[in-house]
Amino acid sequence: MIPLFKPSCTDEEVEAVSRVLRSGWWGMGPETEAFESEFADYIGTRYAVAVNSATSALELAARALGITGKTVIVPALTFISTAQAMQHAGNKVIFADVAENDLCIDWSDVASLASQANAVVPVWFGGAVVWPPGLPEHLTMIEDCAHAAGSTAAGLYGDASCWSFHAVKNLATGDGGMVTTNDADVARKLRQLRWCGIDKSTWERDQGKYGWDYSIPADGEKMHMNDITAALGRVQLRRLNDMNERRRVTARNYHHHFSRLDWLKLPELCSGDSQHLFVVRVNERDRFVDHMLSNGVSAGVHYKPLTHYPHLFPGKHNVPVTERVWKTMATLPLYPDMTFAEREQVIDTVKSFKA
Ligand SMILES: Cc1ncc(COP(=O)(O)O)c(C=O)c1O
């Protein structure tokens, strides 16, 4: 079965992890610090704070920015974490619709909800970055960049931006995440929040003579990264542009082969996008997905709208585009190390669907 996603691993990843395993320091330490500084440089922000997932990144970013006990606008078409993390930080979530063409948050809907809200969390769906025409001043912005590692300009405009290094992401470490920001105070709060509220990391206290004492000036969570993950992340970061270019080559190839299929709507391609997902639209989506699966090709759906979980998000939600388009969406396999034969099988299987 051709998978939907697959992480790309070279000897460099294996060697980096082995080096840390042999070093005797597996916890949060020098590799994590180096990954943070290299990631901040890559994105173009002052600070990067490494955590154990994007879900943690989103929750801690909200707390560090003072977004707790507030109302937050989240797109209805996203992974559950985007909204859950805002609720775990003590907020009420209200849903905005998505734009029909790129499936990112609909900024005109954000404008109409803005007077009821304190913050917005745009998701760069599939890696497409769509900037707001102008955001009301009072709205704090936390970018959900889980799909957007390597997308031009992702992470540059939010008060904080949150990244995922989950196994299927463009930069994969198994699990892991990062918050980037230009605000020194927010970065300082994040460092404390991710490590139980403690003011000094174990690594810092271990330099020279071991210092057992620390203080805990505020409450926090256990959500930091460790050096095994960070070592893997540093190699993946060095390879990220190349891996993304290989995703784009496959996406362009799909476009070339599918452009004459009048029953299939293709995503717009942008040379600056991370190309995390390749989402097509087809009227009989469920039959299409079954056809792919029964021919050995994985196909998925990103995502069932969050409005379909009323036990988590009660109340009335008005997101007509999301409710209509998700029923037609199917994600095709896309990963950097896809072979020629795998790509051909995906293409042939799509073309053999009787629409
Ligand atoms: C849009 C979006 N936000 C957040 C997350 C959460 O990422 P993580 O698995 O690193 O917590 C994901 C993961 O799939 C995602 O797709």
Side-chain angles (χ1 to χ4, degrees), residues 52-58 77-82 123-125 144-147 162-169 174-177 276 302-303:
N52 57 2
S53 69
T55 309
S56 303
L58 287 157
L77 194 72
T78 180
F79 185 60
I80 181 70
S81 293
T82 317
V123 174
W124 305 136
F125 189 95
D144 182 337
C145 297
H147 297 180
C162 300
W163 308 83
S164 173
F165 308 137
H166 176 262
V168 305
K169 295 301 192 297
D175 263 314
H276 176 58
H302 296 88
Y303 300 91

Side-chain angles (χ1 to χ4, degrees), residues 16-346:
V17 170
S18 305
R19 178 169 43 76
V20 175
L21 292 181
R22 290 199 190 93
S23 75
W25 191 277
W26 294 5
M28 179 168 65
E31 289 289 333
T32 308
E33 281 176 19
F35 185 30
E36 289 175 335
S37 124
E38 289 160 8
F39 195 81
D41 278 355
Y42 178 84
I43 300 304
T45 53
R46 285 208 185 95
Y47 308 101
V49 179
V51 290
N52 57 2
S53 69
T55 309
S56 303
L58 287 157
E59 180 182 333
L60 296 191
R63 289 172 60 177
L65 286 161
I67 302 297
T68 61
K70 306 264 166 72
T71 299
V72 182
I73 305 169
V74 170
L77 194 72
T78 180
F79 185 60
I80 181 70
S81 293
T82 317
Q84 232 168 18
M86 292 305 120
Q87 287 191 340
H88 291 171
N91 298 298
K92 177 180 175 217
V93 165
I94 54 175
F95 290 121
D97 212 345
V98 296
E100 179 124 22
N101 59 339
D102 51 45
L103 305 173
C104 290
I105 201 163
D106 178 342
W107 289 109
S108 62
D109 211 21
V110 173
S112 55
L113 295 167
S115 63
Q116 309 167 44
N118 310 91
V120 58
V121 187
V123 174
W124 305 136
F125 189 95
V129 179
V130 184
W131 293 109
L135 209 56
E137 278 284 307
H138 73 279
L139 279 189
T140 296
M141 197 211 289
I142 301 171
E143 291 177 49
D144 182 337
C145 297
H147 297 180
S151 290
T152 307
L156 291 185
Y157 298 97
D159 297 283
S161 300
C162 300
W163 308 83
S164 173
F165 308 137
H166 176 262
V168 305
K169 295 301 192 297
N170 294 48
L171 190 168
T173 63
D175 263 314
M178 194 78 83
V179 186
T180 50
T181 180
N182 286 321
D183 187 321
D185 193 46
V186 169
R188 183 190 56 75
K189 284 184 183 145
L190 286 165
R191 288 183 203 291
Q192 244 174 42
L193 280 167
R194 72 172 169 182
W195 170 227
C196 304
I198 296 173
D199 66 342
K200 267 193 201 132
S201 75
T202 315
W203 173 253
E204 280 173 277
R205 288 186 288 107
D206 197 57
Q207 300 313 295
K209 200 168 89 192
Y210 180 70
W212 60 267
D213 198 14
Y214 51 79
S215 55
I216 310 174
D219 199 10
E221 304 284 346
K222 180 76 167 61
M223 290 181 169
H224 60 80
M225 189 175 275
N226 64 57
D227 271 17
I228 303 170
T229 304
L232 191 48
R234 292 179 71 194
V235 176
Q236 289 266 301
L237 180 60
R238 284 198 288 279
R239 297 184 52 228
L240 182 60
N241 289 348
D242 174 56
M243 291 191 290
N244 283 353
E245 186 49 32
R246 284 192 273 144
R247 287 171 174 276
R248 288 190 285 264
V249 167
T250 299
R252 286 197 286 265
N253 207 257
Y254 282 166
H255 247 264
H256 172 73
H257 285 276
F258 300 152
S259 57
R260 295 224 180 95
L261 304 178
D262 58 4
W263 50 270
L264 195 71
K265 186 171 174 340
L266 299 175
E268 282 169 24
L269 296 188
C270 170
S271 59
D273 288 357
S274 65
Q275 200 60 71
H276 176 58
L277 300 175
F278 193 90
V279 176
V280 295
R281 292 188 230 170
V282 50
N283 280 338
E284 289 181 84
R285 192 270 314 278
D286 292 349
R287 192 164 68 80
F288 175 77
V289 169
D290 286 348
H291 165 79
M292 300 301 287
L293 293 173
S294 54
N295 285 284
V297 179
S298 301
V301 176
H302 296 88
Y303 300 91
K304 191 191 276 190
L306 297 185
T307 46
H308 291 219
Y309 306 99
H311 54 295
L312 298 176
F313 310 107
K316 268 197 172 325
H317 310 286
N318 183 25
V319 290
V321 176
T322 303
E323 298 294 0
R324 179 163 44 78
V325 295
W326 89 273
K327 293 183 191 137
T328 67
M329 291 164 52
T331 308
L332 297 184
L334 186 64
Y335 43 90
D337 296 343
M338 192 173 234
T339 64
F340 179 78
E342 287 173 328
R343 200 158 76 196
E344 291 294 292
Q345 190 179 335
V346 176

